[in-house]
Amino acid sequence: MSSLSVVLALATVAFLSGCTGIPRSGPDPRAVEANATVKAFATTGNKAGIDYALVDINRNVLAHLPKSAMPSLSAGFGVGGAAPPPLTLGIGDVVQVSVFEAQSGGLFIPADAGARPGNYITLPNQTIGRDGMLSVPYANKVRAAGHPVDAVELDIAERLANRAIEPQVVISTVASRSMGASVLGDVKQAKKIELSPAGERIVDVISEAGGLSVPAGEATVSLQRRGRNVTVAYRTLSDRPQENIYVYPGDTIFVGRNRRTFLAFGLTGESGRFDFEDSDLSLGEALAKAGGLIDDKAEPRSVLLYRVADRDLLRDIGVDVSRFKGREVPVIFRANLRDPAAFFAVQQFPMQDKDVLYVSTADAVELVKFLTILNSVTASTRDIASSHDAWRD
C-alpha cells in the first residue's frame, strides 16, 4: 500500500470516529446528548464534571414555563393595589377635633357663645399615640388608628350624646404621618411621600421623587409591602397598565438598575453579549438579536439554551431530578428549528437574565473542513513522494 493510501485510510477513520480533531465553535450536538446526566427520562454520565439535564422544547415544556421572565405586581399583591388605599387614621397622625352642639349652654359651649359664629369648640391638636388612641374630654380614650375618620367621629359623638346637646364631631388631619410611602434607590430625589386621598400609583410616586436617574430600559422597581417583596422591570409599568398598582401606606419602592443580558455563541450572525432592552424577550427574539442562524453553516436541529432552572419546574415538566442535589439544576434546552412548529415554540419560550445561547455547526460543514484538511495532507504527501522520486532518479 502506498504512503498516500495509508494517509487517506487513517484520515477517513479519524473522521468517522468522531471528528474530534476538526476545529469547531463549540460542543458537537452528539456530545451534548451523550454527556447529559438526564436526557429526557434516561440517564448517562458526562465528562465535564458538571451534571446537567437535556430538555427538548415542546408543548409540554411551554405549558409549565412562566409566560414572563419577571414577576407580576398585580399577581403578587392581588387586590391590595387594584384600588386606592382606604383612608384611615394612623399612629403618628396629628389631628384636630371639633365638637359642635345644637345650642349654647351645652357641655362644651358657654352661654355667651352666641356672640360668635357657630356653637362649637376646637380641642388642642394632638398626636395619635402608639396605643392608637385619642383623648377627648368626657369621651375618654377613643381608638383611632386603623379606623376611617367618619367612624371615629361617630364613635366620639355617641360617647358624648348623654352629656352634650345633639353633638356632632369633625376631625381634621393637621399632619398625616401614617399615610406615607418611601421611594429609594436610583431616583433623582429619594424621599418619603405623603399619599393623598385620591391615591397614587407607583409611577406617580417615582415621578414625585424626581423620576429615574438610570436608563428606563435597565431600571427595575421593587415594591416591599408587609414583608413581601416583588420586583418588575420599570417598562412593565408602562407596557402593562395593570402592573402600575396603587401605593399603600408603609410601602417602600426601591428603584434599581439591572442590565439584563444574554450571551450568544456558535453559528449565529453575531456572537457576544446582548441587552434584553424589552422587559420580556423570547428565544426567537434573542436569536434575531444575535443575527439569526448562518444558513450555510449552522445546524438548525441543535439550537441550545444553557440555564440554571428550578428543581420543581423540571420535575413538573417530567424530568428525573433524582440525580441532582440542591434547588437549582443546570439544564440545556434544545430547539429543533428544522421542525416548522418549533418557530411557534421559540416565540413562546421566555429568556432569562444571563442565559447562554449556542447554535451548533452543521455536519456538512464538518465534512467540508475534513475534506479541506484531507486535501492539504494529500497535497503534502504528493509533494513528498515527488521529491523522493526525483531524488531516486
Side-chain angles (χ1 to χ4, degrees):
M1 181 180 292
S2 66
S3 300
L4 179 59
S5 299
V6 172
V7 171
L8 288 174
L10 292 175
T12 303
V13 170
F15 177 76
L16 296 176
S17 64
C19 309
T20 56
I22 297 177
R24 64 186 304 127
S25 60
D28 183 273
R30 289 176 290 272
V32 171
E33 184 167 350
N35 291 331
T37 301
V38 172
K39 180 174 54 182
F41 306 102
T43 61
T44 182
N46 72 57
K47 300 178 181 179
I50 299 177
D51 294 338
Y52 62 87
L54 177 62
V55 178
D56 286 319
I57 298 176
N58 53 36
R59 182 170 57 185
N60 175 59
V61 172
L62 293 176
H64 290 88
L65 291 177
K67 300 303 179 184
S68 171
M70 297 292 283
S72 168
L73 289 177
S74 57
F77 295 101
V79 296
L87 297 177
T88 60
L89 296 172
I91 295 173
D93 288 351
V94 180
V95 298
Q96 184 183 80
V97 180
S98 298
V99 180
F100 292 76
E101 293 190 71
Q103 62 185 31
S104 61
L107 179 63
F108 292 102
I109 309 303
D112 61 350
R116 62 187 177 88
N119 296 323
Y120 68 92
I121 184 173
T122 298
L123 302 178
N125 295 348
Q126 60 178 303
T127 302
I128 299 175
R130 291 184 177 273
D131 58 359
M133 310 293 280
L134 278 177
S135 294
V136 179
Y138 305 106
N140 298 320
K141 292 280 190 177
V142 179
R143 181 161 297 281
H147 294 276
V149 172
D150 55 354
V152 180
E153 292 172 344
L154 181 60
D155 186 15
I156 296 174
E158 290 177 349
R159 291 172 182 241
L160 298 175
N162 294 331
R163 294 173 178 266
I165 302 174
E166 299 180 20
Q168 298 291 317
V169 178
V170 174
I171 297 177
S172 303
T173 302
V174 178
S176 178
R177 294 169 181 166
S178 64
M179 291 287 290
S182 299
V183 185
L184 308 171
D186 291 311
V187 291
K188 294 180 180 178
Q189 186 179 358
K191 61 191 298 187
K192 185 172 183 179
I193 295 172
E194 182 178 334
L195 303 178
S196 69
E200 282 80 17
R201 297 180 182 268
I202 293 180
V203 171
D204 297 330
V205 297
I206 292 177
S207 177
E208 288 192 44
L212 302 176
S213 60
V214 296
E218 299 177 9
T220 60
V221 178
S222 298
L223 174 59
Q224 300 175 9
R225 178 183 297 171
R226 298 176 183 174
R228 183 174 176 80
N229 184 17
V230 177
T231 301
V232 299
Y234 177 78
R235 283 188 173 176
T236 301
L237 302 179
S238 57
D239 295 342
R240 302 178 185 175
Q242 68 271 21
E243 293 296 308
N244 188 25
I245 63 176
Y246 282 99
V247 179
Y248 271 45
D251 283 356
T252 298
I253 294 92
F254 184 86
V255 178
R257 185 176 187 177
N258 179 26
R259 186 182 178 186
R260 302 171 65 211
T261 61
F262 70 93
L263 300 178
F265 299 111
L267 274 297
T268 56
E270 182 180 355
S271 297
R273 184 175 67 171
F274 298 87
D275 291 308
F276 273 46
E277 295 181 357
D278 299 320
S279 57
D280 293 322
L281 191 69
S282 69
L283 174 55
E285 292 168 329
L287 283 170
K289 276 181 174 289
L293 278 62
I294 300 178
D295 58 0
D296 60 341
K297 295 182 180 180
E299 176 50 73
R301 291 177 300 181
S302 189
V303 176
L304 307 178
L305 183 72
Y306 289 72
R307 175 184 297 174
V308 176
D310 182 74
R311 184 186 189 91
D312 292 338
L313 172 63
L314 294 179
R315 183 185 292 113
D316 292 342
I317 291 173
V319 177
D320 179 9
V321 295
S322 60
R323 296 283 299 273
F324 300 96
K325 298 179 181 179
R327 295 297 308 170
E328 295 185 330
V329 177
V331 58
I332 300 176
F333 290 99
R334 180 172 59 185
N336 177 12
L337 294 187
R338 288 194 182 274
D339 177 6
F343 281 86
F344 294 107
V346 295
Q347 276 299 89
Q348 299 176 47
F349 191 96
M351 294 287 289
Q352 292 184 1
D353 188 26
K354 303 302 183 289
D355 277 350
V356 177
L357 180 61
Y358 171 74
V359 178
S360 183
T361 307
D363 289 340
V365 176
E366 301 305 315
L367 177 59
V368 172
K369 292 180 182 178
F370 165 73
L371 294 176
T372 301
I373 295 173
L374 184 60
N375 181 63
S376 175
V377 171
T378 56
S380 299
T381 303
R382 285 194 300 269
D383 291 342
I384 293 173
S386 299
S387 299
H388 180 70
D389 292 341
W391 177 80
R392 292 180 60 183
D393 292 341

